């Protein structure tokens, strides 16, 4: 939707705008005189209000215009000096019922189509439609085209594409979207269909191949349903090829061979169990088209089914590129029509089954076996020391608590701590504060991050409030805060600490709207780190 | 021992924290939930209690978890 349908709707029309940013701008360009009026202001404030409510669905609002005196001149409203405007909050029940439908029905059919096109692309829930909206319209009105109800799903056909082993001659594909422009039959990956090239590249680029058609220079039309997959496909992106290790990193503490030994001992047991699953998968699919992929720098592969990290083994649909992890694959019962939509949804309202999945692994030939052997050497052995330590550090008991170990940080050696930590019991170490480099007081945070934007959670209502660090700690210091607020600073993609130097680097940009938006989405506080550290 | 710091630049490092947690005193009494509900962390966690103030009978916390 865009300028066209707005300009074609006569001035008497109610209409619904769903995308606040897109529509607002097109709206303003079409109706400049209106935007000088209170409309623009109220729309803006309304959009702002909606954003703070963390709405998942696209924001929609309704605006209705009182037409100029001569309503036959449909475009006259542009010049109308002060049309009266009414902005209503979105009311899902009213979007498609009484006030809208009769008015819409009076319009030429093409406008109805435009309107439906905009509504269909949005996420209208089935319950927003009341029975009246689906009842047959009186015969004197042109009926709007039938609207598909999301609740009534037709059975989805299973795709016909089947992966075949790689054989000459073949030509690797580039980005799906480009091929699809030339060959309509080309099946695009879900990233290309969703136009997500900005945040994740094409799933098939340089990975999928087809036999070439020598006469047209395209892929052989008859073979498009039988994609082939390249083993250890080359990387496509330049950034990927050039990804290098920065060797000039300054660490806060130097690592030693004992550290490496220690870490390997820590992870060996867990790693072994993960490797065992991978190895079993590799054995099972080695003769059934297991394809090896290279790990990509800076990319964390995520399962499209459960959104957790893929360690190595995974499956990918040969038609839509959906990637699923070993666990999801094992759980997925592909014989059912009413399946697991996050897993079995394919392109063009079809579904795929296990037959269409290509097994992949990130390990090279023989790499896994070597790793399993290596991990076995580091499985920790029982130490007899733990018992002595338990006697030395008695577990104190206080009312209402399970016994816990409490000692001063100066009284315990690091090796002893590791032994006790391994038991998985809580330990309390006192006198740690003097080891911290910054002063962890409200005054420090007020001084340092006064105007930094942040999100606060009201613990009583679980609502999020936009505020600043300074304001938060001011109230923190007041004898009687009005409500129990909390400020969390988790680091998922931007840590407030420089991991390599250990410096706090929470210098944030003020009023960064993009970041506040991301924050709202993830319900997290974060900042833009300043590389200079403290 | 900062394991995450040893990762090559071109890999995605695991999310080990730290995160900071600050909250006002909750006023929901003895049987209340406080400001953080009882939960079990997926991985081992070291929590540093850095500030606890007694203001008119209420506790305020600044903690750092790693």
């Amino acid at each position: 939707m865009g300028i066209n349908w707005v300009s074609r709707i006569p001035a008497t029309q109610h209409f619904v705008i769903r995308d606040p940013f897109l529509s607002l701008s097109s709206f303003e360009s079409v109706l400049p005189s209106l935007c000088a009026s209170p409309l623009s202001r109220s729309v803006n404030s309304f959009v702002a209000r909606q954003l703070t409510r963390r709405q998942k669905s696209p924001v929609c609002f309704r605006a209705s215009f009182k037409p100029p005196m001569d309503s036959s001149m449909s475009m006259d409203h542009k010049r109308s000096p002060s049309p009266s405007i009414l902005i209503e909050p979105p009311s899902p029940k009213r979007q498609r019922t009484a006030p809208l439908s009769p008015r819409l029905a009076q319009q030429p059919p093409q406008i109805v189509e435009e309107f439906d096109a905009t509504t269909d692309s949005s996420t209208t829930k089935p319950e927003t439609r009341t029975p009246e909206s689906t009842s047959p319209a009186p015969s004197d009105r042109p009926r709007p085209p039938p609207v598909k109800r999301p609740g009534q799903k037709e059975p989805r056909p299973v795709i016909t594409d089947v992966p075949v082993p790689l054989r000459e001659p073949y030509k690797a594909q580039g980005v799906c979207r480009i091929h699809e422009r030339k060959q309509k039959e080309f099946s695009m990956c879900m990233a290309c269909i969703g136009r997500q090239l900005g945040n994740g590249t094409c799933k098939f680029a340089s990975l999928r191949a087809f036999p070439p058609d020598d006469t047209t220079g395209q892929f052989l039309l008859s073979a498009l349903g039988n994609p082939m997959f390249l083993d250890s496909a080359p990387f496509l992106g330049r950034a990927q090829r050039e990804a290098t290790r920065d060797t000039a990193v300054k660490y806060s503490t130097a690592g030693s061979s004992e550290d490496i030994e220690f870490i390997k001992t820590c992870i060996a047991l867990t790693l072994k169990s993960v490797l065992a699953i991978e190895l079993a998968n590799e054995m099972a699919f080695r003769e059934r088209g297991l394809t090896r992929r290279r790990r990509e720098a800076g990319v964390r592969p995520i399962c499209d089914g459960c959104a957790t990290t893929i360690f190595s083994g995974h499956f990918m649909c040969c038609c839509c590129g959906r990637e699923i992890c070993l666990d999801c694959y094992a759980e997925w019962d592909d014989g059912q029509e009413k399946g697991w939509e996050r897993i079995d949804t394919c392109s063009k309202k079809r579904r795929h089954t296990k037959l269409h999945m290509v097994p992949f692994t990130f390990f090279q030939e023989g790499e896994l076996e070597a790793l399993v052997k290596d991990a076995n050497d580091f499985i920790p052995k029982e130490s007899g020391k733990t018992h002595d330590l338990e006697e030395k550090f008695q577990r104190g008991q206080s009312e209402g608590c399970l016994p816990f170990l409490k000692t001063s940080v100066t009284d315990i050696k690091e090796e002893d701590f590791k032994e006790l930590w391994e038991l998985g019991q809580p330990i309390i170490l006192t006198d740690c504060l003097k080891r911290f480099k910054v002063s962890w007081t409200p005054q420090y945070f007020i001084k340092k991050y006064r105007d930094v934007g942040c999100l606060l959670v009201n613990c009583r209502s679980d609502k999020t409030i936009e505020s600043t660090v300074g304001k938060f700690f001011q109230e923190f210091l007041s004898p009687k805060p009005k409500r129990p607020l909390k400020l969390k600073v988790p680091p998922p993609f931007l840590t407030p600490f420089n991991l390599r130097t250990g410096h706090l680097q929470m210098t944030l940009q003020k009023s960064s709207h993009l970041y506040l938006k991301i924050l709202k989405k993830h319900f997290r506080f974060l900042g833009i780190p300043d590389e200079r550290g403290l | 021992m900062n394991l995450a710091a040893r990762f090559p630049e071109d890999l995605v490092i695991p999310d080990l924290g730290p995160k900071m947690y600050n909250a006002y005193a909750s006023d929901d009494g003895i049987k209340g939930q406080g400001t953080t509900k009882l939960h079990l962390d997926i991985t081992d966690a070291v929590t540093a209690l850095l500030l606890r103030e007694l203001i008119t009978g209420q506790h305020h916390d600044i903690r750092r978890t790693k």
Side-chain angles (χ1 to χ4, degrees), chain A residues 253 298 460 472 487 489 499, chain B residues 2 6 10 20 22 24 27:
Chain A
T253 50
R460 207 179 293 146
F472 173 80
L487 163 65
V489 192
L499 282 168
Chain B
N2 191 350
R6 312 283 155 183
D10 54 358
M20 189 170 73
N22 318 276
Y24 301 163
D27 53 0

Side-chain angles (χ1 to χ4, degrees), chain A residues 243-246 249 251 253-255 259 263 297-300 421 433 436 440-442 445 459-460 462 471-473 475-476 479-481 483-492 495-497 499-500, chain B residues 1-27 33-37 44-46 48-51 53 55-56 58 60-64:
Chain A
T244 48
R245 199 181 283 204
D246 183 3
V249 177
Y251 294 107
T253 50
D259 290 337
I263 288 169
V299 174
R300 192 198 300 261
W421 184 249
L433 198 57
F436 284 88
W440 289 76
T441 58
F445 290 112
C459 300
R460 207 179 293 146
D462 272 343
K471 279 188 198 159
F472 173 80
F473 281 107
E475 203 176 326
F476 190 98
K480 263 213 174 294
R483 58 224 152 146
L485 291 181
K486 81 175 161 186
L487 163 65
K488 284 209 274 187
V489 192
T495 162
F497 291 84
L499 282 168
R500 286 169 205 282
Chain B
M1 189 62 228
N2 191 350
L3 182 59
R6 312 283 155 183
F7 269 66
E9 290 271 305
D10 54 358
L11 291 185
V12 184
I13 55 169
D15 172 19
L16 301 180
K19 69 179 181 190
M20 189 170 73
Y21 175 94
N22 318 276
Y24 301 163
S26 69
D27 53 0
Q33 291 174 334
T35 51
T36 299
K37 288 173 185 157
D44 288 3
V46 175
L49 177 65
L50 292 149
L51 181 87
E53 280 185 18
I55 304 171
T56 60
Q58 298 180 335
H60 295 245
D61 286 358
I62 294 182
R63 275 178 283 161
R64 183 184 145 182

Side-chain angles (χ1 to χ4, degrees), chain A residues 494 505-510 512 515 526-531:
Chain A
L494 286 175
Q505 50 172 25
M506 208 173 62
T507 318
L508 313 182
Q509 267 183 7
K510 275 191 231 168
S512 165
Y515 275 88
L526 78 145
I528 302 161
D530 183 348
E531 283 309 318

Side-chain angles (χ1 to χ4, degrees), chain A residues 57-258:
Chain A
S57 55
V59 177
C60 46
F61 57 85
R62 295 150 50 81
S64 63
F65 299 90
K66 280 221 177 121
M69 293 309 285
D70 184 2
S71 60
S72 64
M73 299 168 71
S74 63
M75 294 308 282
D76 232 24
H77 61 280
K78 271 190 186 177
R79 292 193 296 272
S80 167
S82 61
S84 66
I85 292 135
L86 168 80
I87 304 268
E88 294 173 27
S91 156
K93 291 225 161 160
R94 290 176 63 183
Q95 276 172 27
R96 309 220 9 125
T97 51
L100 259 183
S101 321
R103 283 164 187 263
L104 259 187
Q106 292 161 12
Q107 302 312 315
Q110 69 267 31
I111 289 175
V112 175
E113 271 168 32
E114 293 275 0
F115 175 77
D116 277 335
T118 61
T119 48
D120 278 352
S121 63
S122 74
T123 52
T124 314
K125 287 180 183 170
E127 57 268 24
T128 59
R129 289 166 197 186
T130 54
E132 299 98 86
S133 64
T134 52
S135 63
S139 54
D140 57 325
R141 292 175 185 170
R143 281 178 65 174
V147 182
K148 272 190 187 160
R149 294 167 62 112
Q152 296 175 344
K153 279 197 186 133
E154 289 165 21
R156 295 166 300 163
V158 175
I159 59 167
T160 51
D161 298 20
V162 180
V164 293
L166 191 69
R167 61 167 175 266
E168 298 279 353
Y170 65 82
K171 185 177 143 198
Q173 72 160 88
V175 174
C176 297
R177 188 157 279 281
I178 291 165
H179 292 291
E180 198 257 354
R181 257 179 233 148
K182 293 170 186 158
Q183 288 180 290
K184 288 287 156 226
E185 300 80 5
F186 191 87
S187 55
M188 290 198 287
C189 71
M190 52 188 281
C192 282
I193 292 170
R195 294 171 189 265
Q196 293 170 337
L197 279 174
N199 49 22
T201 45
C202 170
K203 294 209 174 207
F204 289 139
S206 84
L207 190 66
R208 192 165 68 162
F210 298 95
D213 186 342
D214 293 329
T215 50
T216 63
Q218 307 295 333
F219 294 126
L220 208 58
L221 204 60
S222 58
L224 278 181
N226 294 103
M228 303 182 284
F229 288 84
L230 295 181
D231 214 28
S232 302
F235 292 130
L236 206 67
R238 201 187 56 168
Q240 179 62 49
R241 287 196 303 268
E242 288 177 358
T244 48
R245 199 181 283 204
D246 183 3
T247 47
V249 177
K250 272 190 191 166
Y251 294 107
S252 52
T253 50
S256 64
S257 56
E258 286 92 67

